[in-house]
Amino acid sequence: MRSLPHIAGRVLGTPLVIGQARLEAILSVLGPRIGIDPPTVALPGEVARRRPSTVTSGGIAVIPVFGTLVKRAGPIEAASGLTAYADLETAFLDAMTDPAVRAVLLDVDSPGGEASGVFDLADLIFEARSLKPVWAVANEEAFSGAYAIASAAERVFVPRTGGVGSIGVIAVHVDRSASDAMEGFRYTTVFAGARKNDFNPHEALADDARAILQAEVGRVHGLFTNAVARNRSMTVDAVNATEAGLFFGDDAVAAGLADEVGTLRDALTALGGILSVPSPTATVTPGASTHKEHVMTDISIEETHASPDTGSESQPPPAPSVEASRNTNPGSPSAEVVDLDRVRSEARGEGFREAALIAEFCALAGMPERTPEMIGRGLTVDEVRAELLALRAEGDEIRSQIVPGAGTAERTNFEDNPVVRAAEARVAATMEA
């Protein structure tokens, strides 16, 4: 019970990217414990359906985005059905840096949650999708903050009964002054700073305080609509025109908020089909400029599709869509091939994947200038990791954000770890001095 004021502070008087129905459900549980009478709505249990991330035999990491979303969640909060953006970020980065993972599928079933932290996670997903395919499926709902995350994927599936949208922001202030008076309580607040007492629940919300809260709600809404417009290649006006409405099945596709009607299984089949298509030839040229700022290096990708007979350039034939694949023989390989025109998978040859990962690791290690040289030497991603660790260990400060085998089942050998060796050497030198 001691955490109730903390929980109430995360729900009341602050902008939320959560659906109205779920907000009422939360208040129905929280309200009686803090002295308010919210709508009588049951909060559905979510603990039983929570599960960790999994990786399919085809190398697709399925990351669940379930329940009410918050910036951080302790063990008790997590057991209550909350999912932390910090935990989602960790699972996502593990998948993106794991060589065994070839693509990521976000399995989303959430009404949204806190605004704090959601746009940072969405930005990370949007930027990282240039390294590996990142898709999402609304299974069955991806509303508000959950849609901010799902929209950052390059392709979004929604089942016939699934929904997306609710691109809006909401805030609640509870005025308990009338209830206090009935109970014989009268609160006197002493404060300094004109705005310090703005959202006191024991007083009515003043007009100027309401204006401030409305302005903050509008600011967060602007962040939300701009993020969706970027993620979905829509105009901000088109996103605003949704008016935070909910869109289901075909309507979600028609509104531009999803790409295809399909289930989680359909999304896995389609993504598996993308990964099974032979990769185009990729040529990495040191010294050229890349279009992704976060890679922080100079790489250009040149694609050629050579004809086996003439050697001339030709485009690979378009593959059927998921809908078309359902009408083919389900036992044939062609049943898993999808429409390549709607994704950018043909730009992801294995050479590009390797080069992009090397560039990312060099940037994370603070040495982006080493990317062309390491690519030119033909190093593998694992070799680059080991060399970056050794280079960092030789510096004045021992820090490492890149661990060999991170995100894999490979056991780390600390005796051979260059960071550990450098630390031991530094201790030995100190003792000799």
Side-chain angles (χ1 to χ4, degrees):
M1 289 299 187
R2 288 178 296 178
S3 64
L4 284 177
H6 169 66
I7 297 174
R10 296 173 68 170
V11 175
L12 304 176
T14 186
L16 302 173
V17 282
I18 190 171
Q20 173 68 27
R22 183 56 58 90
L23 177 59
E24 291 183 353
I26 293 173
L27 291 176
S28 72
V29 175
L30 180 63
R33 291 167 172 80
I34 60 175
I36 60 175
D37 296 320
T40 306
V41 182
L43 181 66
E46 295 167 336
V47 179
R49 65 188 180 93
R50 291 177 62 84
R51 59 177 174 79
S53 302
T54 58
V55 180
T56 69
S57 58
I60 301 174
V62 181
I63 300 178
V65 184
F66 290 167
T68 303
L69 306 178
V70 295
K71 184 172 178 61
R72 297 183 184 87
I76 296 178
E77 292 168 312
S80 300
L82 303 184
T83 297
Y85 298 131
D87 293 338
L88 291 174
E89 178 179 320
T90 298
F92 183 74
L93 288 176
D94 282 347
M96 295 303 293
T97 57
D98 187 344
V101 173
R102 303 174 63 197
V104 173
L105 179 62
L106 302 175
D107 179 8
V108 186
D109 192 5
S110 167
E114 290 184 340
S116 178
V118 67
F119 302 119
D120 293 332
L121 177 59
D123 287 347
L124 172 66
I125 295 171
F126 178 80
E127 293 295 331
R129 75 188 199 185
S130 66
L131 303 179
K132 297 179 182 180
V134 180
W135 290 13
V137 56
N139 184 31
E140 286 275 313
E141 61 179 42
F143 295 134
S144 208
Y147 183 70
I149 294 172
S151 71
E154 59 185 323
R155 191 169 181 84
V156 178
F157 280 68
V158 59
R160 290 174 295 176
T161 56
V164 298
S166 188
I167 308 170
V169 182
I170 192 169
V172 175
H173 174 266
V174 175
D175 178 5
R176 295 193 66 241
S177 58
S179 176
D180 293 338
M182 291 179 62
E183 295 175 6
F185 292 104
R186 181 176 180 180
Y187 289 80
T188 300
T189 305
V190 179
F191 58 94
R195 305 265 69 87
K196 191 65 176 179
N197 196 45
D198 273 352
F199 306 110
N200 184 348
H202 303 289
E203 298 178 7
L205 188 64
D207 290 342
D208 54 351
R210 177 189 292 273
I212 290 172
L213 185 57
Q214 181 63 59
E216 179 60 11
V217 166
R219 186 186 72 86
V220 176
H221 184 247
L223 295 175
F224 198 170
T225 55
N226 277 279
V228 172
R230 175 201 64 185
N231 297 345
R232 299 293 304 165
S233 298
M234 299 171 65
T235 65
V236 174
D237 287 342
V239 177
N240 281 324
T242 66
E243 293 293 352
L246 308 183
F247 297 83
F248 298 87
D250 290 321
D251 290 340
V253 176
L257 302 183
D259 298 292
E260 190 157 350
V261 175
T263 63
L264 176 66
R265 181 179 299 176
D266 292 329
L268 281 170
T269 300
L271 192 49
I274 288 292
L275 298 178
S276 69
V277 174
S279 301
T281 302
T283 303
V284 180
T285 307
S289 175
T290 179
H291 67 286
K292 286 292 181 185
E293 294 179 359
H294 79 291
V295 174
M296 297 172 60
T297 186
D298 293 328
I299 301 176
S300 68
I301 306 301
E302 220 176 301
E303 283 188 58
T304 58
H305 303 286
S307 168
D309 297 326
T310 64
S312 60
E313 293 187 356
S314 62
Q315 294 296 323
S321 65
V322 172
E323 189 63 36
S325 71
R326 291 178 184 148
N327 300 324
T328 63
N329 179 5
S332 67
S334 62
E336 295 189 355
V337 180
V338 299
D339 183 5
L340 299 183
D341 291 333
R342 306 193 65 182
V343 294
R344 295 174 290 159
S345 62
E346 65 266 33
R348 288 195 178 88
E350 289 304 320
F352 175 47
R353 296 177 191 273
E354 194 92 349
L357 284 172
I358 289 173
E360 184 74 5
F361 293 146
C362 288
L364 289 172
M367 292 177 277
E369 70 281 355
R370 290 188 173 270
T371 303
E373 175 258 333
M374 288 187 169
I375 293 175
R377 288 162 54 195
L379 298 180
T380 67
V381 172
D382 289 337
E383 289 170 341
V384 168
R385 285 174 170 168
E387 187 162 324
L388 288 173
L389 276 172
L391 290 171
R392 293 296 295 269
E394 293 172 1
D396 296 332
E397 185 178 357
I398 300 177
R399 292 186 305 170
S400 176
Q401 294 174 304
I402 306 172
V403 178
T408 70
E410 178 183 352
R411 185 181 298 274
T412 301
N413 185 352
F414 288 102
E415 294 180 358
D416 297 332
N417 190 297
V419 175
V420 175
R421 291 201 306 268
E424 290 174 345
R426 189 165 300 177
V427 171
T430 303
M431 294 179 65
E432 292 176 1

PDB file of all heavy atoms in Angstrom, residues 278-281 303-307 311-316 346-347:
ATOM      1  N   PRO A 278      16.611 -15.374 -51.957  1.00  0.00           N
ATOM      2  CA  PRO A 278      18.050 -15.128 -52.085  1.00  0.00           C
ATOM      3  C   PRO A 278      18.357 -13.647 -52.053  1.00  0.00           C
ATOM      4  O   PRO A 278      17.673 -12.834 -52.674  1.00  0.00           O
ATOM      5  CB  PRO A 278      18.403 -15.745 -53.448  1.00  0.00           C
ATOM      6  CG  PRO A 278      17.322 -16.758 -53.687  1.00  0.00           C
ATOM      7  CD  PRO A 278      16.089 -16.192 -53.048  1.00  0.00           C
ATOM      8  N   SER A 279      19.399 -13.272 -51.325  1.00  0.00           N
ATOM      9  CA  SER A 279      19.753 -11.863 -51.172  1.00  0.00           C
ATOM     10  C   SER A 279      20.438 -11.343 -52.422  1.00  0.00           C
ATOM     11  O   SER A 279      21.195 -12.051 -53.071  1.00  0.00           O
ATOM     12  CB  SER A 279      20.688 -11.674 -49.973  1.00  0.00           C
ATOM     13  OG  SER A 279      20.072 -12.138 -48.800  1.00  0.00           O
ATOM     14  N   PRO A 280      20.193 -10.072 -52.797  1.00  0.00           N
ATOM     15  CA  PRO A 280      20.907  -9.470 -53.920  1.00  0.00           C
ATOM     16  C   PRO A 280      22.359  -9.228 -53.560  1.00  0.00           C
ATOM     17  O   PRO A 280      22.750  -9.220 -52.401  1.00  0.00           O
ATOM     18  CB  PRO A 280      20.167  -8.139 -54.126  1.00  0.00           C
ATOM     19  CG  PRO A 280      19.613  -7.830 -52.776  1.00  0.00           C
ATOM     20  CD  PRO A 280      19.253  -9.155 -52.163  1.00  0.00           C
ATOM     21  N   THR A 281      23.162  -9.039 -54.587  1.00  0.00           N
ATOM     22  CA  THR A 281      24.575  -8.757 -54.365  1.00  0.00           C
ATOM     23  C   THR A 281      24.734  -7.370 -53.789  1.00  0.00           C
ATOM     24  O   THR A 281      24.143  -6.412 -54.266  1.00  0.00           O
ATOM     25  CB  THR A 281      25.354  -8.846 -55.691  1.00  0.00           C
ATOM     26  OG1 THR A 281      25.151 -10.149 -56.226  1.00  0.00           O
ATOM     27  CG2 THR A 281      26.837  -8.597 -55.459  1.00  0.00           C
ATOM     28  N   GLU A 303      23.477  -2.099 -55.401  1.00  0.00           N
ATOM     29  CA  GLU A 303      22.819  -3.357 -55.696  1.00  0.00           C
ATOM     30  C   GLU A 303      22.880  -3.649 -57.188  1.00  0.00           C
ATOM     31  O   GLU A 303      22.668  -2.775 -58.013  1.00  0.00           O
ATOM     32  CB  GLU A 303      21.347  -3.308 -55.293  1.00  0.00           C
ATOM     33  CG  GLU A 303      21.115  -3.461 -53.818  1.00  0.00           C
ATOM     34  CD  GLU A 303      19.636  -3.597 -53.569  1.00  0.00           C
ATOM     35  OE1 GLU A 303      19.011  -4.515 -54.109  1.00  0.00           O
ATOM     36  OE2 GLU A 303      19.115  -2.753 -52.867  1.00  0.00           O
ATOM     37  N   THR A 304      23.157  -4.914 -57.534  1.00  0.00           N
ATOM     38  CA  THR A 304      23.090  -5.358 -58.917  1.00  0.00           C
ATOM     39  C   THR A 304      22.392  -6.687 -58.939  1.00  0.00           C
ATOM     40  O   THR A 304      22.627  -7.537 -58.082  1.00  0.00           O
ATOM     41  CB  THR A 304      24.494  -5.513 -59.541  1.00  0.00           C
ATOM     42  OG1 THR A 304      25.240  -6.449 -58.758  1.00  0.00           O
ATOM     43  CG2 THR A 304      25.222  -4.177 -59.582  1.00  0.00           C
ATOM     44  N   HIS A 305      21.526  -6.877 -59.917  1.00  0.00           N
ATOM     45  CA  HIS A 305      20.854  -8.146 -60.132  1.00  0.00           C
ATOM     46  C   HIS A 305      21.279  -8.643 -61.507  1.00  0.00           C
ATOM     47  O   HIS A 305      20.758  -8.200 -62.519  1.00  0.00           O
ATOM     48  CB  HIS A 305      19.329  -7.977 -60.056  1.00  0.00           C
ATOM     49  CG  HIS A 305      18.874  -7.395 -58.760  1.00  0.00           C
ATOM     50  ND1 HIS A 305      18.852  -8.119 -57.601  1.00  0.00           N
ATOM     51  CD2 HIS A 305      18.468  -6.142 -58.439  1.00  0.00           C
ATOM     52  CE1 HIS A 305      18.417  -7.365 -56.611  1.00  0.00           C
ATOM     53  NE2 HIS A 305      18.191  -6.156 -57.097  1.00  0.00           N
ATOM     54  N   ALA A 306      22.253  -9.529 -61.547  1.00  0.00           N
ATOM     55  CA  ALA A 306      22.817  -9.964 -62.822  1.00  0.00           C
ATOM     56  C   ALA A 306      22.024 -11.132 -63.374  1.00  0.00           C
ATOM     57  O   ALA A 306      21.665 -12.063 -62.645  1.00  0.00           O
ATOM     58  CB  ALA A 306      24.272 -10.367 -62.632  1.00  0.00           C
ATOM     59  N   SER A 307      21.759 -11.075 -64.672  1.00  0.00           N
ATOM     60  CA  SER A 307      21.096 -12.181 -65.339  1.00  0.00           C
ATOM     61  C   SER A 307      22.090 -13.306 -65.547  1.00  0.00           C
ATOM     62  O   SER A 307      23.221 -13.082 -65.957  1.00  0.00           O
ATOM     63  CB  SER A 307      20.552 -11.700 -66.695  1.00  0.00           C
ATOM     64  OG  SER A 307      20.149 -12.816 -67.459  1.00  0.00           O
ATOM     65  N   GLY A 311      24.424 -11.475 -67.999  1.00  0.00           N
ATOM     66  CA  GLY A 311      25.176 -10.652 -67.063  1.00  0.00           C
ATOM     67  C   GLY A 311      24.624  -9.252 -66.937  1.00  0.00           C
ATOM     68  O   GLY A 311      25.144  -8.439 -66.198  1.00  0.00           O
ATOM     69  N   SER A 312      23.566  -8.928 -67.673  1.00  0.00           N
ATOM     70  CA  SER A 312      22.998  -7.596 -67.605  1.00  0.00           C
ATOM     71  C   SER A 312      22.143  -7.461 -66.371  1.00  0.00           C
ATOM     72  O   SER A 312      21.706  -8.461 -65.788  1.00  0.00           O
ATOM     73  CB  SER A 312      22.144  -7.317 -68.851  1.00  0.00           C
ATOM     74  OG  SER A 312      21.097  -8.255 -68.930  1.00  0.00           O
ATOM     75  N   GLU A 313      21.883  -6.216 -65.974  1.00  0.00           N
ATOM     76  CA  GLU A 313      21.089  -5.969 -64.792  1.00  0.00           C
ATOM     77  C   GLU A 313      19.626  -6.271 -65.050  1.00  0.00           C
ATOM     78  O   GLU A 313      19.081  -5.937 -66.099  1.00  0.00           O
ATOM     79  CB  GLU A 313      21.232  -4.517 -64.340  1.00  0.00           C
ATOM     80  CG  GLU A 313      22.613  -4.190 -63.845  1.00  0.00           C
ATOM     81  CD  GLU A 313      22.671  -2.798 -63.260  1.00  0.00           C
ATOM     82  OE1 GLU A 313      21.656  -2.090 -63.330  1.00  0.00           O
ATOM     83  OE2 GLU A 313      23.722  -2.426 -62.758  1.00  0.00           O
ATOM     84  N   SER A 314      18.996  -6.922 -64.094  1.00  0.00           N
ATOM     85  CA  SER A 314      17.573  -7.207 -64.193  1.00  0.00           C
ATOM     86  C   SER A 314      16.988  -7.236 -62.797  1.00  0.00           C
ATOM     87  O   SER A 314      17.701  -7.492 -61.834  1.00  0.00           O
ATOM     88  CB  SER A 314      17.328  -8.562 -64.880  1.00  0.00           C
ATOM     89  OG  SER A 314      17.899  -9.605 -64.123  1.00  0.00           O
ATOM     90  N   GLN A 315      15.709  -6.968 -62.703  1.00  0.00           N
ATOM     91  CA  GLN A 315      15.035  -6.951 -61.411  1.00  0.00           C
ATOM     92  C   GLN A 315      14.464  -8.325 -61.117  1.00  0.00           C
ATOM     93  O   GLN A 315      13.966  -9.005 -62.026  1.00  0.00           O
ATOM     94  CB  GLN A 315      13.910  -5.906 -61.398  1.00  0.00           C
ATOM     95  CG  GLN A 315      14.403  -4.490 -61.521  1.00  0.00           C
ATOM     96  CD  GLN A 315      15.260  -4.115 -60.325  1.00  0.00           C
ATOM     97  OE1 GLN A 315      14.980  -4.529 -59.215  1.00  0.00           O
ATOM     98  NE2 GLN A 315      16.304  -3.348 -60.559  1.00  0.00           N
ATOM     99  N   PRO A 316      14.517  -8.795 -59.860  1.00  0.00           N
ATOM    100  CA  PRO A 316      13.907 -10.074 -59.530  1.00  0.00           C
ATOM    101  C   PRO A 316      12.402  -9.999 -59.699  1.00  0.00           C
ATOM    102  O   PRO A 316      11.801  -8.956 -59.499  1.00  0.00           O
ATOM    103  CB  PRO A 316      14.277 -10.270 -58.042  1.00  0.00           C
ATOM    104  CG  PRO A 316      14.525  -8.890 -57.536  1.00  0.00           C
ATOM    105  CD  PRO A 316      15.074  -8.120 -58.689  1.00  0.00           C
ATOM    106  N   GLU A 346      14.929  -6.435 -50.506  1.00  0.00           N
ATOM    107  CA  GLU A 346      15.922  -6.670 -51.547  1.00  0.00           C
ATOM    108  C   GLU A 346      17.181  -5.830 -51.346  1.00  0.00           C
ATOM    109  O   GLU A 346      18.202  -6.087 -51.983  1.00  0.00           O
ATOM    110  CB  GLU A 346      15.317  -6.414 -52.929  1.00  0.00           C
ATOM    111  CG  GLU A 346      14.913  -4.953 -53.168  1.00  0.00           C
ATOM    112  CD  GLU A 346      13.457  -4.724 -52.839  1.00  0.00           C
ATOM    113  OE1 GLU A 346      12.957  -5.399 -51.919  1.00  0.00           O
ATOM    114  OE2 GLU A 346      12.829  -3.888 -53.484  1.00  0.00           O
ATOM    115  N   ALA A 347      17.091  -4.812 -50.477  1.00  0.00           N
ATOM    116  CA  ALA A 347      18.271  -3.982 -50.197  1.00  0.00           C
ATOM    117  C   ALA A 347      19.099  -4.545 -49.063  1.00  0.00           C
ATOM    118  O   ALA A 347      20.044  -3.920 -48.610  1.00  0.00           O
ATOM    119  CB  ALA A 347      17.837  -2.561 -49.855  1.00  0.00           C
TER     120      ALA A 347
END
